[in-house]
Amino acid sequence: MPFAQDESELPSPSSGSSSSGVTVTGSHPGDRYVRYVPANDLPLKPVGARYYVADVTAPKEGFGRLLYRLERVLIGRQLSWAEAKHERLNKVRALAILSSDAISSTAYATEEALRILVLAGLVGYSAMLSVGIAIVLLIAIVAFSYSQTIMAYPEGGGTYHVTLENLGKYPGLVAASALLIDYTMTVAVSISSGVAAVTSAFPSLYPYRVEIAVAAIAFITLVNLRGVRESGTVFVLPTYAFIVSMYVLLGLGFAAWLGILPLHPHPVRYPMPEAVQPLTLFLILRAFASGSSALTGVEAIANGIPIFKEPQTRNARITLVWMAGILATIFFGIHILTYHFHLVPSDEETIVSQLARTVVGESPFYYFIQAATAGILFLAAETAFADFPRLSYLLARDRFLPHHFRFQGDRLAFNTGILVLGVLTSLLVIIKQASVTALIPLYAVGAFSAFTFSQTGMVVHWWRMPDRHRHIHSMVINGIGAVATGIATIVIIITKFVYGAWMVIIIVPLLVAMMAAINHHYRSVAEQLRLSPIELRQRTKRPIRRSTTAVVPIASLNRASYWALEYARMIARDVTAVHVAVEPESGEILRKRWEEAGLDIPLVIVESPYRELIGPLVAVIEKIHREKGCPFLTVVIPEFVPAHWWERILHTQTAWRLRRVLSHIPDIAITGVPYHLVR
Amino acid sequence: MPFAQDESELPSPSSGSSSSGVTVTGSHPGDRYVRYVPANDLPLKPVGARYYVADVTAPKEGFGRLLYRLERVLIGRQLSWAEAKHERLNKVRALAILSSDAISSTAYATEEALRILVLAGLVGYSAMLSVGIAIVLLIAIVAFSYSQTIMAYPEGGGTYHVTLENLGKYPGLVAASALLIDYTMTVAVSISSGVAAVTSAFPSLYPYRVEIAVAAIAFITLVNLRGVRESGTVFVLPTYAFIVSMYVLLGLGFAAWLGILPLHPHPVRYPMPEAVQPLTLFLILRAFASGSSALTGVEAIANGIPIFKEPQTRNARITLVWMAGILATIFFGIHILTYHFHLVPSDEETIVSQLARTVVGESPFYYFIQAATAGILFLAAETAFADFPRLSYLLARDRFLPHHFRFQGDRLAFNTGILVLGVLTSLLVIIKQASVTALIPLYAVGAFSAFTFSQTGMVVHWWRMPDRHRHIHSMVINGIGAVATGIATIVIIITKFVYGAWMVIIIVPLLVAMMAAINHHYRSVAEQLRLSPIELRQRTKRPIRRSTTAVVPIASLNRASYWALEYARMIARDVTAVHVAVEPESGEILRKRWEEAGLDIPLVIVESPYRELIGPLVAVIEKIHREKGCPFLTVVIPEFVPAHWWERILHTQTAWRLRRVLSHIPDIAITGVPYHLVR
């Protein structure tokens, strides 16, 4: 019984309470006010004798049971609070898991930059190296900056958290919106790129890339609903497979280039497109903006400090350095070799695939490289499936998103966030036809604005420290980082504006406005509902002064409505019955029956020649309410419940409609008295 | 004020009641049990001093008001009971309205028969006259038979009514199903044929025929929701326009043929299709089955006796003879001339159009003929829009269809039936691409089976009369009618089976089963709810013996839940609060607050480590119920109502879900106590 094993998680029962009996007085002063009643029925089991503890239940029979079993097979056994696991990882595993997003972006960064440059034709290649060097510099700066963040936030410095704390509510919301977009785009771009790796190796699958991508997203969604143990080996392998195969590939490529090995690479030759633009600075900046997608994911280590073994910050910083180094070298290696072989971007084959085929031909190793590429990209998408729901949980906890994002499902996963992400990314992939080039403009904006917010927040963080003079160099590093990423953000926005970045510019303010409105609403509700302890005491001391008045809408006199009349008499002294006649004779018919029965409950009849029911009924209820001096009114609505669910549509849902309208009137309680039909 | 004008429709107030005061005793013995409270507030107005009478209300402001004004413009002013009109018509008007369905079918009957015959190529024409004569004979037989029906059912002998009364429940349901299909098909075929008449005159519209047809259906639906005054001139003109122009056309045609007038008709020549089948008896029977669609609508006069002026049956019979004569002559005239000119059926032009072009060329008269044809066909569709909702009303009144079909909307029209018909026929027209040929197989089956049922029912009706020997000749006529239409039905089913009639064979049993199930359910409900006057008296004499026990689910202690606790104490002595803790600490937090407040209501806490809410809550409610000896339990659910409607989605609908589950448990009343938020 899982809930009994880890009792340290549950509030401890006070000693001295017996395990049977109706009301138990324990040693706790308030005990006589809490009812401890033991019971042996499933699904409720007593623990000690104070509480009930609920266990899981399966439906007994029928379709419900079938669905339940299916869910268990797909998703697994339900987990209780006590089973939430928190493991710590060593640096090797942590590197694999946390750097998959960053390192996987080398699969498309060079290619996207080159796509822009070849718009200038052959002459575009001359700018390649400059762009590559700029990106590598940026990697270094950002890595250094996040190293500072690690030191400042040893519990994990998420961008949202850092910004909210240091820059305030609205910057925090903007950063959060940028992050949500970033994570969504990470999934879309990574999945699309992974599918591109597959279709490069198997070109016959190219027409089905959208379907494959959506299927991959559905699979990852399901896996996450199961609650992924992210430390598993299955998560470590793809990253190292990719890293190792990339280094081997790059090594062979350079060896061939420098003549060290007697390899004869056959460069893959796609036709060079015509030059359609001159090689302007703007074009080079556009290329830089696309290539800077290499940096996406660099913040992951700073966010994920809690999973490191002790000493956490030191291990995290070391891993960060490793990650930055691997990222920079693989990126620049691909970049240089692509330049050397003058590979041409194509829709049907990725640059990495072309490079691999150039150096090693269509050998088994080539297929291994493609598989590893796809693997690390899916892994990158998976990490976003962990980050997005976690962020939406934090936002919901801070009351910026609806409650629903807080709830953990059967497997302790944040179901709402996972499902929302799965649906959003599926739609995105379908609309953009799984094209990385179409998705890149939205991707880079979100990522780099998040960087900028994070770094700026860090500068403010150091500034606010009482001993700020001791942190000058941290401030400078983060300042350079903020400026560099800020410039990059602006460049990206300007160069990508017409290609899709404008959407982000529109979505972010909308998201921020929505989150602020949600927050305002929740606070307003909390404020209006709050009952301070003092007020509570005062109210409890006050005697209950009044009784309720009942009104019973009656359509016709039958068992169900008579039941409602009896209930009304049970709870109130003053009972009035109301009948709205939508057909001409029904009022008279009811009145006669009322007399024959000798009922001593007053009957009010409303003729409704325009055949309206709810309007006149509510109007007369309000009238009665006013006439009786506005007591607390209870409207007792007779209902009958058919024996089978499909029969419900045969009965107009008047009770529900009435209830909805009445719920808008203050001081009215609405009671449904269901009469159950057996056949 | 409409409701005051026709007071004969309302129950008359008893004399002697004053028009002011709170409780009034009138001369009626039971008066002191009925509350007569005058008031001057709109929308309720007192009449005399006994009742309230509801008036119509318009929303005061905002979007609701806009919608309301739009509805008034489209549909018109609301009508009260008193405004239902019942006019009587003379024979000329009655003929126009009631025979439009029958006479309009001449527009397609010949064509459909010929389409089958030309499958045998040129030789098919030789069978045309035989088929035509058979159809004319059938018209005579059926007309004679319905003349008997008119005499037997002077209040109007609808097929449903006749069959139900004479042959029993299931035959009645089969007949009703056949009629519903017949009316639906009438709309689909008539609209499609009308559109074909238009596209024959304006061939460029042919690709848009489906859109035009759906627009026509939408228009007719809207017009019927307004509540059509079917005696209007706009309904009389198209029929006579068609009849007159047909006679003129046929007259000219015959005159040209016989050389009486020096006209030189230029027969329209579409290419004769290749012979694809031999001219077998089966083919001829198929052609007959298609051509027999000429008879659809012949029963209308027997159904519509109430609209005739006195003496009703005599006028109806005379009009029936006129109708049959006009139908037979126009049909046979078109038939013979088509044969003489050897016109060939084509998808792009109707036979009637070809005939008109042949005889009078593309003169203004030709366009008039097409317009009149389209007009009478739309009129035929309109009559089905009166018949279908009326039949569905009768079926709902007899409890074979859901209640909703009984209700009259603002304009005293049967809204549900009208809308259902509009949607069904639109779908049919879209699926069959507004092709009359594709729709005919389903049409004829419904119509002829309805004829057969009606005639058979009449035979039984005469047989059951005590003086049956006096009605021998009526029995014989109806018998011949039943046999003839029965044979025709079988021929149609066999010959059209694979072309669509099988659908009708499947739909009718399904409809019958559904209606029988609905009837069974409604009777079962009525039986279980019925409270006889004796039982009622007994119950009223019995004192109310018990009070209720309350259970209040509490999530946290705030104003809304405290309100619910106060209400519970108002209505019950024994109150228990229940808290389900989905997060580990919430139970303890609540318990502490409970103590601090000094609340003397017992609190039960359910730990739910699997984070389920509704299941454990309902389980503990049931447990408490059992433990207290099953009293009548009231579950008082705290609710809070946000100030704005869009805010509701920010709050999980737990109250609604709980209510739904609890409503399945007997002896539990469910009360919602709404706390209203102002901001």
Side-chain angles (χ1 to χ4, degrees):
Chain A
M1 297 184 297
F3 52 82
Q5 279 172 353
D6 201 354
E7 277 191 308
S8 58
E9 302 255 6
L10 299 171
S12 43
S14 72
S15 51
S17 37
S18 81
S19 61
S20 68
V22 174
T23 312
V24 178
T25 311
S27 55
H28 213 284
D31 276 357
R32 66 180 182 284
Y33 296 143
V34 181
R35 188 129 161 246
Y36 312 152
V37 180
N40 281 324
D41 300 341
L42 286 170
L44 302 178
K45 308 178 181 219
V47 171
R50 281 178 70 120
Y51 293 81
Y52 290 123
V53 180
D55 197 0
V56 289
T57 54
K60 299 273 181 305
E61 49 175 15
F63 193 55
R65 186 166 177 82
L66 189 69
L67 277 185
Y68 179 82
R69 297 250 37 97
L70 187 66
E71 198 186 351
R72 294 285 76 77
V73 161
L74 280 178
I75 296 187
R77 186 176 59 83
Q78 294 110 321
L79 302 173
S80 75
W81 296 325
E83 292 179 282
K85 293 203 196 319
H86 301 291
E87 278 181 69
R88 302 287 180 89
L89 306 173
N90 60 31
K91 291 194 284 294
V92 171
R93 285 180 169 252
L95 175 73
I97 289 165
L98 294 175
S99 63
S100 58
D101 189 1
I103 295 176
S104 68
S105 50
T106 58
Y108 46 79
T110 296
E111 177 165 355
E112 293 303 318
L114 191 53
R115 277 188 197 276
I116 307 297
L117 289 176
V118 298
L119 292 175
L122 196 56
V123 71
Y125 284 83
S126 56
M128 261 191 91
L129 291 185
S130 331
V131 169
I133 291 171
I135 291 172
V136 169
L137 266 179
L138 205 50
I139 291 175
I141 293 175
V142 173
F144 254 119
S145 306
Y146 271 104
S147 184
Q148 304 301 312
T149 309
I150 288 175
M151 291 199 303
Y153 287 88
E155 336 77 48
T159 302
Y160 166 58
H161 190 196
V162 170
T163 314
L164 190 69
E165 206 179 86
N166 294 300
L167 298 180
K169 170 170 132 177
Y170 281 99
L173 289 182
V174 175
S177 307
L179 277 174
L180 292 172
I181 294 174
D182 181 13
Y183 296 143
T184 312
M185 297 310 305
T186 300
V187 175
V189 170
S190 300
I191 295 284
S192 302
S193 187
V195 169
V198 168
T199 61
S200 299
F202 303 100
S204 57
L205 291 177
Y206 184 71
Y208 305 108
R209 59 197 188 287
V210 177
E211 289 86 349
I212 298 174
V214 173
I217 291 173
F219 178 70
I220 293 185
T221 305
L222 191 64
V223 161
N224 275 276
L225 286 174
R226 279 197 72 113
V228 173
R229 274 194 51 193
E230 287 189 295
S231 52
T233 311
V234 69
F235 282 91
V236 174
L237 280 178
T239 311
Y240 286 112
F242 180 78
I243 294 175
V244 166
S245 52
M246 275 298 116
Y247 277 131
V248 169
L249 177 65
L250 294 175
L252 290 174
F254 279 110
W257 184 6
L258 301 172
I260 300 176
L261 289 176
L263 292 166
H264 301 288
H266 291 99
V268 174
R269 286 270 166 255
Y270 283 93
M272 179 77 60
E274 290 298 315
V276 296
Q277 292 189 25
L279 185 63
T280 60
L281 177 64
F282 188 78
L283 194 73
I284 297 177
L285 286 177
R286 272 180 67 189
F288 164 78
S290 287
S292 62
S293 56
L295 274 90
T296 52
V298 162
E299 77 284 356
I301 289 181
N303 289 354
I305 297 173
I307 75 170
F308 282 93
K309 287 193 159 112
E310 295 289 348
Q312 289 187 319
T313 45
R314 183 165 173 275
N315 289 335
R317 294 180 78 194
I318 294 173
T319 313
L320 177 64
V321 170
W322 277 104
M323 176 187 82
I326 295 172
L327 171 60
T329 46
I330 293 183
F331 167 75
F332 204 59
I334 293 176
H335 210 76
I336 291 185
L337 282 179
T338 304
Y339 169 75
H340 170 69
F341 289 117
H342 265 62
L343 297 175
V344 179
S346 153
D347 278 336
E348 275 116 37
E349 193 176 359
T350 65
I351 285 288
V352 171
S353 166
Q354 291 184 34
L355 189 58
R357 280 210 294 146
T358 298
V359 176
V360 300
E362 284 198 26
S363 58
F365 183 46
Y366 162 74
Y367 289 101
F368 181 79
I369 291 175
Q370 292 309 99
T373 308
I376 197 177
L377 283 161
F378 289 134
L379 183 55
E382 160 59 34
T383 57
F385 261 91
D387 292 334
F388 182 105
R390 202 175 305 146
L391 177 60
S392 62
Y393 163 75
L394 293 176
L395 286 168
R397 190 200 57 186
D398 295 347
R399 300 194 189 174
F400 290 112
L401 283 181
H403 297 320
H404 312 76
F405 287 93
R406 290 181 63 168
F407 299 136
Q408 293 176 305
D410 284 339
R411 301 286 289 175
L412 294 172
F414 299 113
N415 284 8
T416 317
I418 292 171
L419 288 168
V420 166
L421 184 63
V423 168
L424 277 179
T425 47
S426 298
L427 287 175
L428 208 48
V429 156
I430 291 172
I431 292 175
K432 294 291 191 183
Q433 291 286 294
S435 153
V436 177
T437 312
L439 292 163
I440 280 285
L442 299 108
Y443 191 17
V445 178
F448 269 85
S449 25
F451 287 158
T452 314
F453 273 107
S454 178
Q455 297 308 314
T456 315
M458 286 306 299
V459 173
V460 172
H461 170 82
W462 297 123
W463 183 262
R464 284 189 185 160
M465 295 211 119
D467 51 346
R468 71 172 73 129
H469 59 276
R470 284 185 47 192
H471 301 285
I472 292 285
H473 89 281
S474 300
M475 229 187 292
V476 165
I477 293 176
N478 283 124
I480 293 177
V483 168
T485 54
I487 292 176
T489 306
I490 292 173
V491 167
I492 292 170
I493 291 177
I494 294 177
T495 55
K496 298 293 178 195
F497 194 81
V498 296
Y499 301 99
W502 62 269
M503 274 195 263
V504 175
I505 306 302
I506 290 181
I507 293 176
V508 166
L510 284 178
L511 273 178
V512 171
M514 181 189 90
M515 290 198 278
I518 290 175
N519 187 244
H520 173 79
H521 170 72
Y522 280 141
R523 285 164 168 267
S524 164
V525 168
E527 233 178 87
Q528 294 183 65
L529 289 184
R530 190 168 302 128
L531 207 47
S532 68
I534 296 172
E535 248 187 304
L536 197 45
R537 267 198 165 272
Q538 284 174 346
R539 284 177 171 229
T540 1
K541 296 209 177 321
R542 226 168 39 193
I544 308 293
R545 34 185 177 68
R546 40 188 196 178
S547 62
T548 187
T549 304
V551 171
V552 189
I554 301 274
S556 61
L557 211 45
N558 54 37
R559 289 182 196 270
S561 53
Y562 196 83
W563 210 185
L565 287 171
E566 288 198 329
Y567 178 81
R569 289 257 281 264
M570 231 191 271
I571 65 164
R573 266 190 213 130
D574 188 353
V575 181
T576 309
V578 176
H579 171 75
V580 176
V582 292
E583 286 172 8
E585 306 82 21
S586 67
E588 187 59 21
I589 292 173
L590 181 66
R591 203 189 59 76
K592 284 212 176 77
R593 240 160 101 71
W594 211 262
E595 278 181 38
E596 285 165 3
L599 278 165
D600 64 346
I601 295 174
L603 172 66
V604 174
I605 299 177
V606 184
E607 304 268 339
S608 185
Y610 295 93
R611 301 166 299 287
E612 283 189 33
L613 178 67
I614 303 286
L617 185 55
V618 172
V620 80
I621 287 176
E622 282 185 301
K623 177 181 286 302
I624 293 172
H625 190 208
R626 277 193 305 270
E627 278 160 6
K628 292 190 183 291
C630 291
F632 196 84
L633 199 67
T634 304
V635 177
V636 182
I637 304 176
E639 296 169 354
F640 66 86
V641 183
H644 309 107
W645 61 269
W646 64 80
E647 292 164 342
R648 290 189 179 218
I649 55 166
L650 294 177
H651 302 279
T652 52
Q653 300 303 317
T654 316
W656 179 81
R657 283 158 52 206
L658 181 57
R659 199 189 289 273
R660 236 182 41 150
V661 176
L662 285 174
S663 68
H664 286 116
I665 309 168
D667 284 347
I668 291 186
I670 307 157
T671 303
V673 184
Y675 184 86
H676 288 86
L677 301 175
V678 290
R679 297 190 302 276
Chain B
M1 296 183 298
F3 52 82
Q5 279 170 356
D6 202 352
E7 276 191 306
S8 58
E9 303 254 3
L10 298 171
S12 42
S14 72
S15 50
S17 36
S18 81
S19 62
S20 68
V22 174
T23 310
V24 178
T25 310
S27 54
H28 213 283
D31 275 359
R32 68 182 182 282
Y33 297 142
V34 180
R35 188 131 160 242
Y36 312 152
V37 181
N40 282 324
D41 300 342
L42 283 171
L44 303 177
K45 306 177 186 224
V47 171
R50 280 178 71 120
Y51 293 80
Y52 290 123
V53 179
D55 198 0
V56 288
T57 54
K60 297 277 181 304
E61 49 173 16
F63 193 54
R65 188 170 175 80
L66 188 70
L67 277 184
Y68 179 81
R69 297 251 36 99
L70 187 67
E71 197 186 352
R72 296 283 76 77
V73 160
L74 280 178
I75 296 187
R77 187 175 58 83
Q78 294 111 321
L79 302 172
S80 74
W81 297 325
E83 291 179 287
K85 293 202 195 323
H86 301 291
E87 282 182 67
R88 302 288 180 89
L89 306 174
N90 59 31
K91 290 192 287 294
V92 170
R93 284 180 169 252
L95 175 72
I97 289 165
L98 293 175
S99 63
S100 59
D101 188 0
I103 295 177
S104 67
S105 50
T106 58
Y108 46 80
T110 296
E111 177 164 355
E112 292 305 318
L114 192 52
R115 277 188 197 275
I116 307 296
L117 289 175
V118 297
L119 292 176
L122 197 55
V123 70
Y125 284 83
S126 57
M128 260 191 91
L129 291 184
S130 332
V131 169
I133 290 171
I135 290 172
V136 169
L137 267 178
L138 204 52
I139 291 174
I141 293 175
V142 173
F144 254 119
S145 308
Y146 271 103
S147 185
Q148 304 301 313
T149 309
I150 288 175
M151 291 200 301
Y153 286 89
E155 335 78 47
T159 302
Y160 167 58
H161 190 198
V162 170
T163 313
L164 190 70
E165 205 179 86
N166 294 301
L167 297 181
K169 169 171 133 178
Y170 281 100
L173 288 182
V174 175
S177 307
L179 277 173
L180 291 172
I181 294 174
D182 180 15
Y183 294 145
T184 311
M185 295 310 305
T186 300
V187 175
V189 170
S190 300
I191 294 284
S192 302
S193 186
V195 170
V198 168
T199 61
S200 299
F202 302 101
S204 58
L205 292 178
Y206 184 73
Y208 304 108
R209 61 197 186 287
V210 177
E211 288 85 350
I212 298 174
V214 173
I217 292 173
F219 178 70
I220 292 184
T221 305
L222 191 64
V223 161
N224 275 275
L225 286 174
R226 278 195 71 110
V228 173
R229 273 194 52 194
E230 288 189 295
S231 52
T233 312
V234 70
F235 283 91
V236 173
L237 280 178
T239 312
Y240 285 113
F242 180 78
I243 294 175
V244 165
S245 52
M246 277 297 116
Y247 277 133
V248 168
L249 178 67
L250 295 175
L252 290 174
F254 281 109
W257 183 5
L258 302 171
I260 301 176
L261 288 178
L263 293 166
H264 302 287
H266 292 100
V268 174
R269 287 269 166 257
Y270 283 94
M272 179 75 61
E274 289 298 315
V276 296
Q277 291 190 25
L279 186 62
T280 59
L281 176 64
F282 188 79
L283 193 74
I284 298 177
L285 286 177
R286 272 180 66 190
F288 165 79
S290 287
S292 61
S293 56
L295 274 91
T296 52
V298 162
E299 76 283 358
I301 290 181
N303 291 355
I305 297 173
I307 74 170
F308 282 93
K309 288 193 157 115
E310 295 290 348
Q312 289 188 321
T313 44
R314 182 166 173 274
N315 288 337
R317 295 180 79 193
I318 294 173
T319 313
L320 176 65
V321 169
W322 278 104
M323 176 187 83
I326 295 173
L327 171 62
T329 46
I330 293 183
F331 166 75
F332 204 59
I334 294 176
H335 210 76
I336 291 184
L337 281 180
T338 303
Y339 169 76
H340 169 68
F341 289 118
H342 266 62
L343 298 175
V344 180
S346 155
D347 277 338
E348 275 115 36
E349 193 176 358
T350 64
I351 284 287
V352 170
S353 166
Q354 291 184 35
L355 189 59
R357 279 210 295 146
T358 298
V359 176
V360 300
E362 283 199 28
S363 57
F365 183 45
Y366 162 75
Y367 289 100
F368 181 78
I369 289 175
Q370 294 306 101
T373 308
I376 195 175
L377 284 162
F378 288 133
L379 183 55
E382 160 59 33
T383 57
F385 262 91
D387 292 333
F388 182 106
R390 201 174 306 145
L391 176 61
S392 60
Y393 163 75
L394 292 175
L395 286 168
R397 189 199 58 186
D398 294 346
R399 298 193 190 176
F400 289 112
L401 283 181
H403 298 320
H404 313 76
F405 287 93
R406 290 181 63 169
F407 298 136
Q408 292 177 306
D410 283 339
R411 301 284 292 176
L412 294 172
F414 299 113
N415 285 8
T416 316
I418 292 171
L419 288 169
V420 166
L421 184 61
V423 169
L424 277 180
T425 48
S426 297
L427 287 176
L428 207 47
V429 156
I430 291 172
I431 293 173
K432 294 289 191 184
Q433 290 286 293
S435 154
V436 177
T437 312
L439 292 163
I440 280 285
L442 299 108
Y443 190 18
V445 178
F448 270 84
S449 25
F451 287 158
T452 313
F453 274 106
S454 177
Q455 298 309 312
T456 314
M458 286 306 298
V459 173
V460 173
H461 171 83
W462 297 123
W463 182 262
R464 285 190 184 160
M465 294 210 120
D467 51 347
R468 68 171 75 131
H469 59 276
R470 285 185 44 195
H471 301 287
I472 292 284
H473 88 283
S474 300
M475 229 186 290
V476 166
I477 293 177
N478 282 123
I480 293 177
V483 167
T485 54
I487 292 176
T489 306
I490 292 172
V491 167
I492 293 170
I493 290 177
I494 294 176
T495 56
K496 298 293 179 196
F497 193 81
V498 296
Y499 301 99
W502 61 269
M503 274 195 264
V504 175
I505 306 303
I506 290 181
I507 293 175
V508 165
L510 285 177
L511 273 178
V512 170
M514 182 188 89
M515 290 197 278
I518 289 175
N519 187 243
H520 172 79
H521 169 74
Y522 280 141
R523 287 164 168 265
S524 165
V525 168
E527 232 178 270
Q528 295 182 64
L529 289 184
R530 190 166 302 127
L531 207 48
S532 68
I534 297 172
E535 246 187 306
L536 197 44
R537 265 196 168 274
Q538 284 174 348
R539 284 178 168 229
T540 3
K541 299 213 176 315
R542 226 168 40 190
I544 308 291
R545 36 184 176 69
R546 37 184 199 181
S547 62
T548 187
T549 303
V551 171
V552 189
I554 301 274
S556 62
L557 211 45
N558 54 36
R559 288 181 197 269
S561 52
Y562 196 83
W563 208 185
L565 287 171
E566 286 198 329
Y567 177 81
R569 289 256 281 263
M570 232 192 268
I571 65 165
R573 266 189 215 131
D574 188 352
V575 181
T576 308
V578 176
H579 172 75
V580 176
V582 291
E583 287 174 7
E585 306 82 22
S586 67
E588 187 58 21
I589 292 172
L590 182 66
R591 203 191 58 76
K592 283 211 178 76
R593 244 162 94 72
W594 211 262
E595 278 181 39
E596 285 165 3
L599 278 165
D600 63 346
I601 296 173
L603 173 66
V604 175
I605 299 178
V606 185
E607 303 269 339
S608 185
Y610 294 93
R611 300 167 300 286
E612 282 191 35
L613 178 67
I614 303 287
L617 186 54
V618 171
V620 81
I621 287 175
E622 284 186 301
K623 175 181 288 304
I624 293 172
H625 190 209
R626 276 193 305 270
E627 277 161 7
K628 290 188 183 292
C630 292
F632 196 86
L633 199 67
T634 304
V635 177
V636 182
I637 304 176
E639 297 169 354
F640 66 86
V641 183
H644 308 107
W645 60 268
W646 65 81
E647 292 165 342
R648 290 187 178 221
I649 56 165
L650 294 177
H651 302 279
T652 51
Q653 301 303 318
T654 315
W656 179 81
R657 283 159 52 207
L658 181 58
R659 199 188 287 273
R660 233 179 46 143
V661 175
L662 286 175
S663 67
H664 287 117
I665 308 168
D667 285 347
I668 291 186
I670 306 156
T671 303
V673 184
Y675 185 86
H676 289 85
L677 300 176
V678 289
R679 296 190 305 274

